[in-house]
Amino acid sequence: MTQQAFVKYDGVARTLHWLIALAILIELRLGLTSDAWKANPWAPGVHKSIGLTILVLTLVRIGWRLTHTPPALPADMPSWQVLLAKGTHWLFYVLLVAVPLSGWIFSSAGPYPLNWFGLFDIPKLAVEKGSMLAEAAHEGHEIMGQFFIPLLLLHVGAALYHHFRLKDGVLRRML
Ligand code: HEM
Ligand code: HEM
């Protein structure tokens, strides 16, 4: 275990990580039960509001990440694990932008108004109902949304493996 492994992500990075993680779990729960939205009329509005909040928080997070160096990984971590971790993180960032953006795109073509928890309107993007863009965004939203699940299992599995098996302080960097 290296001394470096104990240096933490800063408070902003940790707060954004856990806020977004919690929000994603709520989004998956709401999204994957969208068949029952008719019986829960509040659910689509909450799904869209939380989703658009994730988009904004993610853009802030990416900006922060690009301007702040993260703590180094343990020096003895095999290079394939470093690569896998970086690939997972990179894919997470892609999904964290692409999933809510695709939701915003295809919902803009729908009949319902967009607002943030009923407090203020969110502008609809210029997307026509039935257009190729609307259809692709809808399809993409469902596929990419579900892709969070295996990625999250890999990510959490790796975090727990580092914590309980390797005991190398990697998880503590994010706590
Ligand atoms: C990171 C944020 C988001 C995640 C993880 C997410 C995830 C999901 C998932 C997993 C589904 C179910 C897909 C399926 O049927 O298999 C779904 C459905 C849906 N999402 Fe999202 N979503 C997010 C953001 C948004 C946003 C921002 C909007 C719109 C502004 C939106 C609008 C919708 C709608 C309307 C459905 C229902 C689609 C249908 O049943 O045809 N989502 N979402
Ligand atoms: C959907 C939920 C989650 C998402 C989207 C997510 C996303 C991310 C991303 C993008 C990073 C990279 C940070 C950077 O830019 O350097 C990261 C790091 C990390 N996450 Fe998560 N995470 C989630 C849930 C969790 C959970 C539940 C745990 C713990 C069990 C966890 C533990 C960690 C740890 C320990 C790191 C630092 C790893 C490293 O430095 O290589 N994450 N996460």
Side-chain angles (χ1 to χ4, degrees):
M1 176 173 26
T2 61
Q3 193 61 28
Q4 281 178 322
F6 283 106
V7 180
K8 281 174 176 273
Y9 279 86
D10 62 59
V12 173
R14 280 182 282 139
T15 306
L16 286 170
H17 174 269
W18 291 113
L19 255 183
I20 293 172
L22 178 68
I24 289 291
L25 293 182
I26 299 172
E27 282 301 83
L28 291 177
R29 174 79 174 79
L30 288 172
L32 295 172
T33 51
S34 61
D35 287 350
W37 280 1
K38 277 215 166 70
N40 302 305
W42 54 270
V46 170
H47 180 82
K48 292 172 192 177
S49 300
I50 296 180
L52 289 167
T53 310
I54 292 174
L55 178 60
V56 173
L57 290 179
T58 298
L59 295 179
V60 173
R61 182 174 175 187
I62 291 174
W64 188 267
R65 176 66 168 77
L66 292 174
T67 49
H68 295 77
T69 312
L73 285 163
D76 52 3
M77 205 166 132
S79 54
W80 69 268
Q81 283 184 17
V82 176
L83 218 86
L84 189 64
K86 288 192 171 159
T88 306
H89 298 165
W90 196 84
L91 251 179
F92 260 142
Y93 285 124
V94 170
L95 292 183
L96 287 169
V97 172
V99 174
L101 192 60
S102 59
W104 190 5
I105 291 172
F106 83 83
S107 294
S108 294
Y112 307 106
L114 282 178
N115 59 59
W116 196 76
F117 294 107
L119 295 175
F120 55 84
D121 288 340
I122 290 161
K124 281 193 161 189
L125 306 171
V127 184
E128 293 215 8
K129 191 174 164 57
S131 64
M132 236 166 75
L133 178 59
E135 297 299 323
H138 194 163
E139 190 76 11
H141 189 74
E142 296 189 352
I143 295 168
M144 292 187 295
Q146 297 192 19
F147 198 67
F148 264 114
I149 298 166
L151 208 58
L152 183 59
L153 290 178
L154 177 68
H155 185 63
V156 171
L160 298 180
Y161 179 71
H162 276 280
H163 192 67
F164 292 109
R165 277 301 279 266
L166 302 180
K167 300 186 186 356
D168 60 4
V170 161
L171 177 59
R172 255 175 290 163
R173 292 149 76 248
M174 197 45 104
L175 297 179

